[in-house]
Amino acid sequence: MKSNKLSTLIFASLFLGLFATNVFSQKMVPIKIDLPKAMFVGTPTNMTIDKLEKPLGKPRPPFLAPEGTKNLALNKKVVSTDDMPIIGEVDYLTDGEKDGDEGNFVELGPFTQHVTIDLEKEYNIYALVLWHFHKQPRVYFDVVVQLSNDKDFKKGVKTIFNNDLDNSSKQGKGTDWHYVETAEGKLIDAKGEKARYVRCYSKGNNSNDLNHYIEVAVYGK
């Protein structure tokens, strides 16, 4: 019996050692994010929204990920709960164009809507950058981002961001803060989670009840 326990401990130690070696041997470099031109300057002052992040007032620090990480969502298929957008097409989300001008965003209907990107196979995902609408300083509500290998998101769902503070979109009560849309987009740390599908929820914004997306970039390898 002691011999079996000793063998198990040795095997576990070797496995953990190999795992740690693999993780820490990867060279970490800043991910390259091509940013659009800013559409407004200054800090919004008239917003009375619960749990609203204060603007950094400076460029976002670089985000480090294993060398070789790239935008996996580029030109990948997108589906939405609103199959007849008011403006634009859902393909805009992954076309690489992040400019905030007219003609670069899709406008979905009111209430809770979601979009799903199929990366076509499972990847390690390190970060996601989300641009809803940055022509004006806006705050979108019930922003929830989930990962899964199930296209229907019925199993194996990992939520990496959720600011639905009252669970009105029925994806669980969130603890993340609201934020003001800017040309930098919202960067979300995905911590290397493995998944094929990315789903983003929203439920209107502080300007109107509609949902908008310019681009969703998913960084992984």
Side-chain angles (χ1 to χ4, degrees), residues 38-220:
M39 302 294 287
F40 66 90
V41 295
T43 302
T45 56
N46 59 345
M47 292 183 172
T48 54
I49 296 171
D50 189 27
K51 295 186 70 174
L52 180 62
E53 289 180 354
K54 293 181 178 178
L56 281 178
K58 58 183 180 181
R60 179 174 55 217
F63 183 88
L64 300 182
E67 190 172 32
T69 294
K70 63 180 182 179
N71 178 14
L72 305 168
L74 190 62
N75 298 320
K76 295 293 172 58
K77 182 180 179 181
V78 185
V79 295
S80 168
T81 43
D82 185 349
D83 55 6
M84 294 185 66
I86 299 167
I87 298 173
E89 305 290 340
V90 293
D91 293 346
Y92 293 0
L93 272 75
T94 57
D95 65 358
E97 178 56 68
K98 310 176 186 77
D99 196 279
D101 283 327
E102 299 292 331
N104 291 321
F105 64 85
V106 61
E107 183 175 77
L108 308 179
F111 311 114
T112 301
Q113 303 282 356
H114 65 68
V115 296
T116 302
I117 301 170
D118 180 3
L119 302 177
E120 299 180 351
K121 67 178 186 179
E122 181 186 84
Y123 290 98
N124 286 99
I125 299 173
Y126 298 101
L128 181 145
V129 186
L130 175 62
W131 290 264
H132 279 286
F133 188 90
H134 60 85
K135 192 173 183 179
Q136 305 161 350
R138 286 187 183 176
V139 176
Y140 283 78
F141 301 119
D142 293 10
V143 176
V144 181
V145 180
Q146 296 177 334
L147 309 176
S148 179
N149 279 321
D150 176 15
K151 66 181 178 61
D152 297 318
F153 283 73
K154 293 182 178 178
K155 59 184 179 181
V157 177
K158 176 70 175 180
T159 299
I160 59 172
F161 187 89
N162 185 347
N163 66 12
D164 180 6
L165 304 180
D166 59 2
N167 194 26
S168 58
S169 289
K170 309 300 182 187
Q171 298 303 311
K173 186 176 180 179
T175 58
D176 292 302
W177 285 44
H178 296 106
Y179 60 92
V180 178
E181 293 280 331
T182 70
E184 279 200 318
K186 177 63 176 176
L187 190 149
I188 298 167
D189 187 350
K191 303 185 185 305
E193 290 285 344
K194 291 183 177 181
R196 169 173 172 171
Y197 299 94
V198 177
R199 177 167 287 181
C200 303
Y201 290 81
S202 61
K203 188 183 179 185
N205 60 83
N206 68 318
S207 180
N208 56 59
D209 293 333
L210 302 174
N211 297 276
H212 306 87
Y213 288 90
I214 295 175
E215 188 78 9
V216 178
V218 180
Y219 293 91

Side-chain angles (χ1 to χ4, degrees), residues 4-19:
N4 288 340
K5 287 183 177 179
L6 180 60
S7 297
T8 301
L9 286 171
I10 292 173
F11 177 79
S13 298
L14 288 172
F15 175 80
L16 290 172
L18 288 171
F19 176 77

